[in-house]
Amino acid sequence: MTLTESRGPSTPTGGFGLVEHFFRREYGRLVAVLTRKAGLRHIDVVEDAVQDALLAALAAWTTRGVPEDPSAWIYRVAYNNVMGDLRRTSRRRRILRKAVEVVAPWDQFATPLSTSEETDDMLRMLFISCDDVIPRESRLVFALKTLCGFSIAEIALRLFTSEANVYKRLGRARDRFREILPDIETAPLEVLKSRLSSVHAVLYLLFNEGYLSAHAERAIRRELCDEAVRLTTLLAQHPVGAVPETFALLALMHLHAARLDGRRDGMGDLLLLEEQDRSLWDREEMRLGAEWLERAAGGDVFSRFHAEAGIAAEHCFAPSFEETRWGEIADLYAMLERVDPSPLHTMNRAVAVAEWQGPGAGLALLQALTPPPWLSDSYLWNAVQSDLHRRAGNVDIAQRHSERALASAPTEAVRELLRRRLTTVA
């Protein structure tokens, strides 16, 4: 378990508890600001220093209470850790002098992230993490691990790969950054705008990890959704990110966030869409989602985020599960396939078509599809196959897919949801 997954007891001091989202947010912010000051060549030093600072906070605050300004407390410890490590490891005085020059005295940065510097540092680090010279997979791994505080296991699940591959991709990204040594303190964000699609991908994955988590004990992690919304809002409000794709992504996040309270029962178990109490859905989030979606409609751009936000809006504003406009959703999935071809989108369209025209129509779409191994071996593919075959009366086939889906479910929360769904005969 990584530090950003740790949880500690609440304390009244300063109104903060030792909660996961605070540590995860601090991790990303501290890495961003200290890397800008120390240089990307010292990224390993910065990450170790931040991790040690958060461990120190966990130990000290549990016994002494949370300080009045916990962000400043952690920053100062991390800063001192960076400086101490640079002094110990620098072999030549010239290197040490350069490091000291870029990492300014503490009193100049007592509250380094409380102004517009916070926005610029976080966004700049996001864009730097998405350097085009690095393969897309390595970019995602580097940003999710270094800036967003994801564990290796979380990244592996979200990218449909193994933990070993995640380690390899992370190593490649760091090696490449050491070669190019970009100056992230002075690089204008406008110069980095070509990396915007990669930034969108990182924020999208961050939200998804909160919406349906890889965490063994927590199926929904609202704090990750909130952090993704916060970062995407900063991006949408900055000239470099104020484009229809960003607005559509933010709309999608708000519309999904609207349903978070309705996705669990009183015991914390996940609920199917048709089981959810729609009166629990957050109307303010729905309103914000609709506003951002309307803003995203300006211009001629239509991205995958536009399609996905449209699908989310259909679900949010349907009076009931039975009254959902499944034909509209199927059409939106077809549009999604055109702008972002993927067998996963075809599978989801088959689900919508099955609700609209019956399980036979959905199965016909699936039978025309040859899924790649990463999809055919996943719990998602087998769960959909099991559900549609069961509803079509193909009990034996449904049972085989059900067993495969349950065996490959990533968490017990998802496995329990599948048991309830796949044992219900339509």
Side-chain angles (χ1 to χ4, degrees):
M1 181 170 67
T2 65
L3 176 65
T4 51
E5 291 172 313
S6 301
R7 285 178 288 171
S10 296
T11 64
T13 306
F16 277 89
L18 300 183
V19 291
E20 176 184 348
H21 77 275
F22 177 70
F23 279 157
R24 188 183 288 269
R25 174 185 286 194
E26 289 303 300
Y27 184 91
R29 296 198 305 171
L30 289 169
V31 167
V33 72
L34 291 175
T35 300
R36 176 173 62 83
K37 299 180 188 308
L40 195 55
R41 72 186 68 196
H42 299 302
I43 183 66
D44 293 340
V45 173
V46 170
E47 286 192 281
D48 288 344
V50 171
Q51 189 81 353
D52 289 344
L54 294 176
L55 284 170
L58 189 64
W61 299 355
T62 300
T63 57
R64 305 174 196 168
V66 180
E68 183 176 349
D69 191 342
S71 295
W73 190 100
I74 295 176
Y75 179 83
R76 184 165 192 169
V77 173
Y79 162 81
N80 288 337
N81 288 345
V82 170
M83 290 302 300
D85 194 284
L86 290 176
R87 290 191 179 97
R88 286 191 300 271
T89 59
S90 294
R91 296 182 179 180
R92 293 179 293 177
R93 295 182 63 86
R94 178 178 58 82
I95 296 177
L96 177 59
R97 285 197 298 270
K98 183 176 181 180
V100 171
E101 288 171 2
V102 297
V103 184
W106 158 250
D107 57 4
Q108 294 186 35
F109 299 100
T111 55
L113 304 172
S114 59
T115 64
S116 61
E117 184 182 23
E118 174 187 0
T119 300
D120 287 345
D121 282 348
M122 289 296 292
L123 293 182
R124 183 176 289 108
M125 192 62 182
L126 270 173
F127 278 88
I128 289 294
S129 299
C130 297
D131 195 319
D132 293 335
V133 302
I134 297 172
R136 178 179 180 273
E137 294 81 2
S138 293
R139 281 181 257 155
L140 287 175
V141 167
F142 182 85
L144 292 171
K145 175 67 175 68
T146 303
L147 191 57
C148 301
F150 272 39
S151 72
I152 297 298
E154 290 169 342
I155 298 172
L157 181 64
R158 288 300 164 193
L159 297 184
F160 294 96
T161 189
S162 67
E163 294 185 22
N165 280 338
V166 172
Y167 278 114
K168 289 178 184 177
R169 292 172 183 176
L170 182 61
R172 291 191 195 107
R174 287 175 170 169
D175 289 344
R176 182 56 181 157
F177 280 128
R178 291 189 188 97
E179 292 175 7
I180 58 178
L181 294 177
D183 184 355
I184 66 171
E185 184 172 11
T186 59
L189 280 173
E190 289 73 14
V191 173
L192 307 176
K193 190 170 183 177
S194 63
R195 306 177 187 181
L196 189 57
S197 63
S198 292
V199 172
H200 288 154
V202 169
L203 295 172
Y204 180 81
L205 285 174
L206 177 60
F207 185 91
N208 281 349
E209 173 56 26
Y211 190 75
L212 184 59
S213 178
H215 196 288
E217 299 177 357
R218 302 178 62 197
I220 296 174
R221 302 165 80 178
R222 178 180 286 276
E223 67 280 352
L224 297 190
C225 294
D226 291 343
E227 182 66 2
V229 170
R230 186 184 75 87
L231 291 173
T232 309
T233 302
L234 292 177
L235 183 64
Q237 293 173 341
H238 195 283
V240 77
V243 297
E245 295 95 322
T246 306
F247 303 153
L249 175 58
L250 190 52
L252 174 63
M253 290 180 180
H254 279 296
L255 291 167
H256 277 326
R259 296 191 282 122
L260 286 178
D261 287 342
R263 294 185 64 231
R264 290 177 290 188
D265 62 18
M267 301 297 292
D269 294 329
L270 291 173
L271 293 172
L272 299 166
L273 180 60
E274 56 264 42
E275 298 173 333
Q276 294 176 23
D277 181 354
R278 297 185 178 224
S279 68
L280 297 177
W281 292 1
D282 191 320
R283 302 298 166 181
E284 176 61 15
E285 289 281 7
M286 291 166 63
R287 183 189 67 79
L288 289 170
E291 287 184 358
W292 282 109
L293 187 55
E294 181 179 3
R295 188 170 177 184
D300 299 326
V301 174
F302 186 86
S303 68
R304 63 169 298 184
F305 303 123
H306 287 78
E308 292 190 42
I311 293 166
E314 288 291 340
H315 286 303
C316 272
F317 294 104
S320 66
F321 183 83
E322 293 74 19
E323 296 174 271
T324 302
R325 302 193 303 177
W326 292 107
E328 295 291 332
I329 291 176
D331 288 343
L332 284 165
Y333 272 121
M335 296 170 70
L336 178 56
E337 290 177 76
R338 287 196 289 272
V339 297
D340 184 38
S342 169
L344 184 63
H345 303 328
T346 306
M347 183 192 74
N348 287 328
R349 178 161 65 94
V351 172
V353 168
E355 295 293 344
W356 178 29
Q357 298 178 333
L363 284 171
L365 279 176
L366 294 182
Q367 289 165 358
L369 177 66
T370 302
W374 62 262
L375 181 58
S376 62
D377 295 338
S378 73
Y379 79 95
L380 293 170
W381 174 262
N382 284 291
V384 169
Q385 288 277 2
S386 176
D387 183 50
L388 297 191
H389 276 293
R390 186 178 302 278
R391 291 163 59 187
N394 306 322
V395 178
D396 291 341
I397 299 175
Q399 182 61 30
R400 289 198 296 272
H401 282 291
S402 177
E403 291 171 356
R404 293 171 189 164
L406 292 171
S408 58
T411 66
E412 185 56 37
V414 172
R415 189 172 293 110
E416 180 56 36
L417 187 73
L418 292 177
R419 286 194 190 102
R420 194 164 65 252
R421 174 68 177 183
L422 301 182
T423 57
T424 301
V425 180

